[in-house]
Amino acid sequence: MAPPRLYLDWNATSPLHPAVREAVLRAMDLFGNPNSVHGEGRAVRAAIEGARREVASLVGAEPAHVILTSGATEAANMVLTPEFRMGRTPLAVGHLYYSAVEHPAVREGGRFPKDKTTEIPVTSDGTVDLAALQGLLAGHDASSGLPMVAIMLVNNETGIVQPVREAAEIVKAHRGLLVVDAVQAAGRIEIDINALGADFLILSSHKLGGPKGAGALVSRGEILMPKPLIHGGGQEKGHRSGTENSLAVIGFGTAAAQARSDFSERNGRIAALQARLESGMRAAAPDVVIYGADGPRVSNTTFFTLPGLKAETGQIAFDLEGVALSAGSACSSGKVGESHVLVAMGHDPKLGALRISLGFATSDEDIDRALAAFGKIAGRRRPAGEAA
């Protein structure tokens, strides 16, 4: 009998945490509409508000500042808009500046016209070029409205941690707004929206061990808010209409609570697994290139190139060995293409890169299996210079 498949693509999506599964199953008995005033509705509303508190606590925010959405992509499209309000007063945002390594949900620019968006370059180590950011904001046309800057906290491909606090100081000096995609950071590094200097954070449930179909836009206050993306019955204080997806939201809250409760133990264990994985990879293939290995990086992500191995070939080879991993972001189309992150870092776009990402259920035995598959695949590579 073949061994069970090995899942090492946690950055794409996490399996449901057992505590989340139990919470969602219990929540199935809460069938009322959370916007109804009867007892059945109030029971669901209480569960949703409990989940909102847990999500807020995960990032040091106030529950009243958490807008529940269908996921991170919706949250990004909601906040990336030229139209804001300061209380009841309209406020224009004139231009969006985003880092070259952002997720496609941000790179697409949300509701900004393409000619009102500009890419911020990154350095060769994959972090946003702060000098370039300073120069772009110094040249911003203030008459068009405020500048908005979008910088992710942790890159989804490399796991590299961005210098968001330093960027926030530059943004604030130019009276700008800072939007931070914290999808890959939540539960993996400590986050406090106020200490970070972000005006808005974007979160996703299914990266944390929660269900798909839930996410959040978290703000630092309630005065400055984007024009709603979805109109209707006025749920979420009018910011996001539509009856809340109570099952997904309750699971999201449980996942957030679990991420906080076992933060130190889980991340310490995963860091040890990552160190053993990368040491074994280097021993089996000394020419392996691990991106971001010399800088600040989350403990669960290993993005690597095996010279002579194409990304699509490597992904298929690992899959045939029973190992599920990724060739980068899995959220755009499912196809394997050039990594815009590697291109932005100045690497040859023809290089094949694969991503191993670990999670709460990854074990020592899993690392043993991953290294066995890695060694086998590395040993089958075509020698350098040999004709294809």
Side-chain angles (χ1 to χ4, degrees):
M1 182 182 295
R5 287 183 56 80
L6 173 57
Y7 188 74
L8 296 177
D9 199 15
W10 293 71
N11 282 11
T13 195
S14 167
L16 281 182
H17 192 284
V20 172
R21 183 183 299 274
E22 292 176 10
V24 171
L25 288 173
R26 289 194 302 270
M28 286 182 176
D29 292 327
L30 300 174
F31 56 84
N33 187 315
N35 304 293
S36 298
V37 297
H38 48 57
E40 288 80 0
R42 293 198 306 273
V44 182
R45 173 55 58 193
I48 287 175
E49 295 311 314
R52 194 190 308 274
R53 288 192 293 273
E54 295 293 356
V55 172
S57 294
L58 183 63
V59 295
E62 295 295 325
H65 301 164
V66 175
I67 302 169
L68 299 169
T69 68
S70 66
T73 295
E74 183 193 326
N77 279 268
M78 178 182 177
V79 73
L80 300 179
T81 176
E83 297 181 83
F84 273 73
R85 297 191 75 85
M86 179 76 77
R88 296 186 178 183
T89 305
L91 182 70
V93 177
H95 204 92
L96 170 65
Y97 304 88
Y98 61 88
S99 87
V101 295
E102 294 300 303
H103 187 279
V106 171
R107 284 171 59 83
E108 284 298 308
R111 292 182 274 175
F112 281 92
K114 286 296 183 184
D115 63 348
K116 299 296 183 183
T117 67
T118 298
E119 185 176 276
I120 311 164
V122 297
T123 63
S124 59
D125 65 5
T127 58
V128 65
D129 187 328
L130 296 176
L133 172 62
Q134 172 71 45
L136 286 169
L137 294 185
H140 173 76
D141 178 9
S143 67
S144 68
L146 301 179
M148 174 182 284
V149 175
I151 300 175
M152 64 193 344
L153 185 49
V154 169
N155 184 261
N156 53 301
E157 293 191 10
T158 62
I160 290 170
V161 180
Q162 297 292 329
V164 171
R165 288 185 179 85
E166 294 85 345
E169 294 178 3
I170 297 171
V171 174
K172 295 311 164 189
H174 294 275
R175 299 184 63 248
L177 302 179
L178 179 62
V179 175
V180 175
D181 171 359
V183 166
Q184 297 291 348
R188 293 173 184 152
I189 61 175
E190 297 279 6
I191 303 175
D192 184 298
I193 187 171
N194 296 295
L196 204 57
D199 294 291
F200 297 93
L201 292 180
I202 297 169
L203 299 175
S204 173
S205 165
H206 75 99
K207 309 294 188 178
L208 282 169
K212 299 174 184 67
L217 178 65
V218 184
S219 61
R220 201 150 41 129
E222 292 186 276
I223 302 299
L224 179 66
M225 295 302 295
K227 179 182 178 180
L229 176 66
I230 299 177
H231 302 270
Q235 290 86 350
E236 296 297 301
K237 299 182 180 178
H239 299 304
R240 196 277 186 187
S241 293
T243 302
E244 294 89 346
N245 182 352
S246 57
L247 293 180
V249 167
I250 291 166
F252 185 15
T254 305
Q258 195 68 40
R260 282 200 308 128
S261 69
D262 64 2
F263 179 88
S264 296
E265 183 278 329
R266 182 184 67 254
N267 286 299
R269 183 179 61 80
I270 290 175
L273 293 176
Q274 182 193 53
R276 194 160 74 82
L277 171 70
E278 294 182 359
S279 174
M281 290 169 65
R282 291 188 177 99
D287 59 341
V288 67
V289 178
I290 299 176
Y291 300 100
D294 297 326
R297 189 171 45 128
V298 288
S299 61
N300 83 310
T301 304
T302 299
F303 193 47
F304 67 94
T305 287
L306 268 173
L309 183 70
K310 294 181 178 180
E312 58 268 34
T313 304
Q315 191 170 16
I316 293 169
F318 275 99
D319 194 53
L320 291 173
E321 294 292 331
V323 181
L325 46 69
S326 173
S329 174
C331 301
S332 52
S333 64
K335 65 183 179 181
V336 178
E338 294 179 357
S339 165
H340 73 277
V341 174
L342 289 184
V343 172
M345 293 169 66
H347 295 288
D348 183 349
K350 298 293 190 292
L351 287 173
L354 297 170
R355 181 186 69 191
I356 292 174
S357 47
L358 315 179
F360 61 76
T362 308
S363 66
D364 284 299
E365 293 74 17
D366 292 339
I367 299 302
D368 292 338
R369 287 185 59 193
L371 287 173
F374 177 88
K376 190 181 297 185
I377 292 165
R380 292 201 298 256
R381 286 177 297 164
R382 190 180 301 279
E386 184 177 313

